[in-house]
Amino acid sequence: MYVTDPTNDSTTNSMAHTKLTVAKFGGTSVADYQAMVRCANIIKNDPATRVVIVSASAGVTNHLVRLSQANIGRDEQRSIIEKISAIQLNIIVNLDNERQLKEQVDVLLNELAEYVISQSEQYNAKTTDAILSYGERMSSLLFTEVLRSLAIKSECFDVRQVMKTNSLYGKAVVDIARLKTKAVELLAPKLSADVIVTQGFIGQDGLEHTTTLGRGGSDYSAALLAEALNADNLAIWTDVVGIFTTDPRITDQAKAIKEISFGEAAEMATFGAKILHPATLIPAMRQNIPVFVGSSKEPEKGGTRIQKKVESNPTYRSIALRREQTLVTVKSPAMLHANGFLVKVFDILAKHELSVDLITTSEISVALTFDNPPNSTQSLITTAVVAELEQLCEVSVEHGLSLVAVIGNDLYTAKGIGGTIFKKINEFNIRMICHGASSNNLCFLVPEADVNNVVEQLHSSLFD
Ligand code: ASP
Ligand code: MG
């Protein structure tokens, strides 16, 4: 049953007069049977949750990544498939229709094993996506059964019917208009009868090949589905009780944030708070859908609410950090008083689908940073990119840097922030500073070895 909401008078919405929450459960939330039951109870307690997006059970995608790599022998292939199978079987043994489910999972795993063997001579981004999709396909199947075992009527839905993408394997771009049309046609009519469980992260291109949206992409899938279905809320259930003032593993002084604006949260997600996939807030902001982030382990502890308007807008909200940044400096005397140099640099980057994070320029050089996340399936700044840039200018590539982002409000009109931020971390080398493009952040790079100290000291000066 939907929850009737007399205040919702949207007429364009096929689900008018009903409240809809789209909920996403991450890998640790569906890691095993007990974890899945906790999620099922969250759904049971909130009748508005009718669409559920799941990640692969924790660890499975990493196993699949290994399986999709060329340098892997038959023995390792077999042992990885066994490990994946064990994770699923641990869940299945707790369910009533154990035999039937085991058969279904075996069908998928056999198909996967055959695929891996048949493709092993020609691994590429496309085969990787096909391989990675099995994690979400299995977890969604099993989670549907867990819901049923708690007497929640549910159906497992193949998201590839609606999540239509281009063919940029590994980071496919979703066709939002088609997703909307398909979701209204195929998903919306089902919601009154069943809780729909579906896969995050995966999609399908025009040739009906499986694609993925990039590591951690399930959050983004959920946000896109919330947007397509005109949902009232998006709930991201993970293993932390919301967003913190900084990574709690760095300082035990980190505090949970109750409420944060879209703008601040988007900067946080972009600049390293690992809680949300960076693109997640884009659909939510477009459609003004409030986002809740909480822990499926401790739902009673509440979480963080991300929305357009918040009660307080402090100058300093949080400190995000991102490790393994690559700093590329391009230098050309020809840039002096010249125009068009940046266009040429960015043309090359665009051609290689590279997205730049920070940028600073001086008279004859430009410094650019790129994220090189530990889980990424490909290395970003390839020798081909460097070679092309070198045709234009001198290029230097530095690794071993971390990006620290101070997130807050009105940072470019607030007085004294330079002193406040940098006084406390005076003893450290600051490699690059970016300030002035967004009122919500000030970013800088420090050596990887210093970043924990920098963040800890900065946190104590800004938040204690
Ligand atoms: N299972 C995928 C990953 O581990 C997607 C996700 O969990 O969001 O990256
Ligand atoms: Mg995640």
Side-chain angles (χ1 to χ4, degrees), residues 43-297:
I43 295 166
K44 202 166 190 172
N45 290 334
D46 174 26
T49 299
R50 306 296 298 171
V51 178
V52 173
I53 287 88
V54 291
S55 289
S57 299
V60 170
T61 308
N62 286 345
H63 285 314
L64 292 166
V65 167
R66 180 68 191 127
L67 208 52
S68 70
Q69 286 164 352
N71 62 343
I72 168 177
R74 277 298 149 78
D75 284 347
E76 196 182 346
Q77 275 172 1
R78 212 169 298 125
S79 108
I80 289 176
I81 292 192
E82 268 162 29
K83 282 181 192 149
I84 296 172
S85 171
I87 295 173
Q88 314 303 324
L89 285 180
N90 260 328
I91 300 168
I92 293 174
V93 290
N94 295 285
L95 291 159
D96 280 344
N97 45 348
E98 188 183 334
R99 243 198 36 221
Q100 187 202 335
L101 282 173
K102 186 172 178 319
E103 267 170 35
Q104 280 177 276
V105 167
D106 279 347
V107 168
L108 285 172
L109 287 175
N110 287 336
E111 189 184 292
L112 170 65
E114 271 170 37
Y115 184 78
V116 167
I117 292 167
S118 71
Q119 301 296 315
S120 55
E121 299 301 309
Q122 51 192 37
Y123 278 160
N124 54 39
K126 181 173 136 198
T127 56
T128 298
D129 277 4
I131 292 169
L132 297 193
S133 73
Y134 282 86
E136 271 71 11
R137 286 157 67 193
M138 289 186 291
S139 62
S140 54
L141 182 76
L142 300 186
F143 190 65
T144 309
E145 289 305 321
V146 172
L147 288 182
R148 289 180 184 158
S149 74
L150 266 83
I152 303 167
K153 274 194 80 219
S154 56
E155 181 188 321
C156 186
F157 181 86
D158 190 333
V159 84
R160 292 171 294 182
Q161 294 178 71
V162 298
M163 197 64 75
K164 300 299 178 186
T165 73
N166 67 4
S167 300
L168 194 59
Y169 301 105
K171 43 178 175 176
V173 179
V174 175
D175 182 338
I176 290 158
R178 278 194 78 204
L179 165 62
K180 168 117 195 149
T181 312
K182 292 272 177 194
V184 167
E185 177 196 344
L186 301 174
L187 257 179
K190 292 179 178 291
L191 303 186
S192 55
D194 286 307
V195 169
I196 298 298
V197 178
T198 193
Q199 306 80 30
F201 181 51
I202 69 173
Q204 189 181 63
D205 69 5
L207 300 164
E208 304 207 342
H209 294 138
T210 299
T211 56
T212 69
L213 312 187
R215 291 303 306 265
S218 294
D219 298 336
Y220 183 46
S221 304
L224 287 170
L225 283 165
E227 178 187 38
L229 292 166
N230 219 344
D232 302 278
N233 284 293
L234 169 63
I236 306 282
W237 292 100
T238 168
D239 53 5
V240 284
V241 293
I243 299 176
F244 280 69
T245 48
T246 196
D247 186 340
R249 285 168 302 189
I250 293 183
T251 165
D252 55 13
Q253 297 302 305
K255 299 172 195 64
I257 299 168
K258 279 287 147 220
E259 231 193 17
I260 182 170
S261 68
F262 278 135
E264 293 167 284
E267 298 283 358
M268 276 188 81
T270 306
F271 290 112
K274 287 275 155 43
I275 301 182
L276 290 178
H277 182 278
T280 311
L281 294 172
I282 299 168
M285 286 162 89
R286 270 197 303 255
Q287 193 79 8
N288 196 13
I289 303 169
V291 181
F292 169 85
V293 181
S295 164
S296 65
K297 255 193 192 137

Side-chain angles (χ1 to χ4, degrees), residues 169-449:
Y169 301 105
K171 43 178 175 176
V173 179
V174 175
D175 182 338
I176 290 158
R178 278 194 78 204
L179 165 62
K180 168 117 195 149
T181 312
K182 292 272 177 194
V184 167
E185 177 196 344
L186 301 174
L187 257 179
K190 292 179 178 291
L191 303 186
S192 55
D194 286 307
V195 169
I196 298 298
V197 178
T198 193
Q199 306 80 30
F201 181 51
I202 69 173
Q204 189 181 63
D205 69 5
L207 300 164
E208 304 207 342
H209 294 138
T210 299
T211 56
T212 69
L213 312 187
R215 291 303 306 265
S218 294
D219 298 336
Y220 183 46
S221 304
L224 287 170
L225 283 165
E227 178 187 38
L229 292 166
N230 219 344
D232 302 278
N233 284 293
L234 169 63
I236 306 282
W237 292 100
T238 168
D239 53 5
V240 284
V241 293
I243 299 176
F244 280 69
T245 48
T246 196
D247 186 340
R249 285 168 302 189
I250 293 183
T251 165
D252 55 13
Q253 297 302 305
K255 299 172 195 64
I257 299 168
K258 279 287 147 220
E259 231 193 17
I260 182 170
S261 68
F262 278 135
E264 293 167 284
E267 298 283 358
M268 276 188 81
T270 306
F271 290 112
K274 287 275 155 43
I275 301 182
L276 290 178
H277 182 278
T280 311
L281 294 172
I282 299 168
M285 286 162 89
R286 270 197 303 255
Q287 193 79 8
N288 196 13
I289 303 169
V291 181
F292 169 85
V293 181
S295 164
S296 65
K297 255 193 192 137
E298 307 171 292
E300 69 289 347
K301 288 204 172 155
T304 303
R305 217 175 145 72
I306 308 168
Q307 53 197 10
K308 195 167 168 182
K309 284 229 149 50
V310 291
E311 255 172 45
S312 85
N313 296 289
T315 305
Y316 304 111
R317 178 78 79 183
S318 66
I319 304 166
L321 77 149
R322 201 152 72 170
R323 297 175 204 274
E324 305 209 33
Q325 302 302 293
T326 304
L327 177 67
V328 176
T329 309
V330 295
K331 186 172 167 190
S332 167
M335 191 174 146
L336 195 64
H337 308 305
N339 49 40
F341 177 75
L342 281 180
V343 173
K344 288 178 197 144
V345 169
F346 277 89
D347 257 353
I348 295 172
L349 300 175
K351 200 178 99 196
H352 291 272
E353 321 243 10
L354 289 170
S355 120
V356 176
D357 287 330
L358 305 184
I359 169 164
T360 60
T361 76
S362 80
E363 193 66 15
I364 57 160
S365 54
V366 184
L368 311 150
T369 73
F370 299 86
D371 190 24
N372 215 356
N375 274 341
S376 59
T377 35
Q378 60 247 52
S379 165
L380 282 170
I381 308 298
T382 57
T383 42
V385 178
V386 174
E388 261 184 75
L389 287 171
E390 274 173 345
Q391 310 244 306
L392 211 64
C393 50
E394 268 174 52
V395 183
S396 87
V397 180
E398 289 168 63
H399 298 281
L401 293 162
S402 291
L403 187 161
V404 178
V406 177
I407 314 284
N409 291 284
D410 301 318
L411 285 173
Y412 49 45
T413 48
K415 292 217 169 73
I417 66 160
T420 310
I421 292 172
F422 293 111
K423 196 168 64 202
K424 197 69 193 258
I425 52 172
N426 201 16
E427 64 190 279
F428 298 100
N429 167 235
I430 311 282
R431 181 64 186 80
M432 175 185 189
I433 301 176
C434 278
H435 177 51
S438 158
S439 65
N440 289 130
N441 90 51
L442 182 153
C443 297
F444 55 91
L445 290 183
V446 294
E448 194 84 43

